[in-house]
Amino acid sequence: MNMQEKNNPTFTTVLIDFDGTLFDTTTADLFSVRGKGLRRFSPEWAEAHKLYLEKIRQSPLYDGWLQVLEFLKSNNIQAAIVSGNNIQVLNVAIKAKASEYPILKEVFPKPNINRIGGNINGHHIRKSEGDPALFLYALKQLNVVPENVLAFGNQLCDAHAADNAGIKAYHCLWGAKAEERELMLADPNHECITSPLQIINILNKRWKLRG
């Protein structure tokens, strides 16, 4: 491999956070059962969870993602949602929007491969404190090495977890809470982007595409 090739890696895979990055779940988050002290699977929990899933079905994609997904498909760049949220939530969101936006099922067709939630083999895993487990699982499922992967998320822990898996990460400011946004802007180790459309520019202008 010559120096030019080392400086221009071929990115074949994009990993995308769910809440606040791909989907605007701001309203749904208000109905999340997490932190409400409800006994899991109790009638109260089940009713609250049902309402939360209904709000997830109503959650929109952030502007710009449809163009990005079309770009990924047309350039044979594989993608996966990698989220600390439950895979049921990811499946509900994709199913709810797929009739309107078929590209969602085309880019994210398979649970546990293109949709990876935080419940793996009976263990609940988050990206907090930079835990790379979800990203390492994604690499295995997608059969790709970290040098060929980019990750996008709206929290510091997304980038830190990706770093610890050897994956280059970007901060997404559009869905970040104010405090998190300030922390990401102050982070010297990761570039911040303000629109999903910038992902196309990153892939098109700064690195060569596969093939």
Side-chain angles (χ1 to χ4, degrees):
M1 180 181 291
N2 62 37
M3 184 60 66
Q4 183 177 1
E5 288 173 325
K6 291 181 74 173
N7 292 333
N8 293 276
T10 301
F11 290 103
T12 64
T13 305
V14 171
L15 305 181
I16 305 162
D17 182 49
F18 176 73
D19 295 281
T21 303
L22 182 61
F23 279 82
D24 182 355
T25 57
T26 305
T27 298
D29 289 343
L30 299 175
F31 295 86
S32 173
V33 297
R34 287 179 293 186
K36 292 193 174 182
L38 299 175
R39 183 168 56 86
R40 191 166 176 79
F41 302 122
S42 66
E44 296 81 9
W45 181 94
E47 189 62 30
H49 187 60
K50 180 180 178 182
L51 180 57
Y52 169 62
L53 291 180
E54 184 55 39
K55 297 300 181 181
I56 285 291
R57 291 184 183 94
Q58 298 169 13
S59 298
L61 283 168
Y62 282 101
D63 289 344
W65 272 115
L66 290 179
Q67 295 95 313
V68 175
L69 298 180
E70 290 287 356
F71 178 87
L72 297 178
K73 179 187 174 184
S74 65
N75 286 282
N76 298 314
I77 300 172
Q78 66 178 347
I81 301 170
V82 178
S83 172
N85 211 330
N86 194 292
I87 193 169
Q88 179 193 22
V89 174
L90 311 188
N91 292 339
V92 164
I94 296 299
K95 182 178 179 180
K97 296 298 181 184
S99 58
E100 185 178 2
Y101 306 120
I103 188 68
L104 282 168
K105 277 198 172 180
E106 295 170 8
V107 175
F108 308 114
K110 298 179 181 180
N112 298 316
I113 296 179
N114 305 103
R115 307 173 213 162
I116 295 173
N119 46 324
I120 297 175
N121 298 325
H123 299 285
H124 194 77
I125 302 170
R126 298 190 186 280
K127 303 173 200 166
S128 56
E129 300 181 2
D131 186 345
L134 285 176
F135 286 110
L136 294 173
Y137 182 79
L139 295 176
K140 180 179 179 181
Q141 294 299 92
L142 294 164
N143 191 29
V144 65
V145 295
E147 292 80 10
N148 298 137
V149 182
L150 296 178
F152 298 89
N154 71 321
Q155 292 182 288
L156 275 177
C157 65
D158 293 319
H160 292 163
D163 285 348
N164 290 333
I167 296 169
K168 183 173 179 61
Y170 288 79
H171 292 318
C172 301
L173 300 183
W174 55 86
K177 295 179 180 179
E179 182 179 352
E180 196 75 23
R181 183 185 178 96
E182 292 305 313
L183 291 172
M184 291 193 293
L185 285 169
D187 178 11
N189 298 316
H190 300 90
E191 184 178 338
C192 295
I193 60 175
T194 58
S195 166
L197 293 175
Q198 288 176 265
I199 295 171
I200 296 175
N201 295 334
I202 288 168
L203 289 166
N204 249 343
K205 296 180 180 179
R206 295 183 61 181
W207 291 278
K208 63 181 181 180
L209 294 171
R210 178 170 57 183

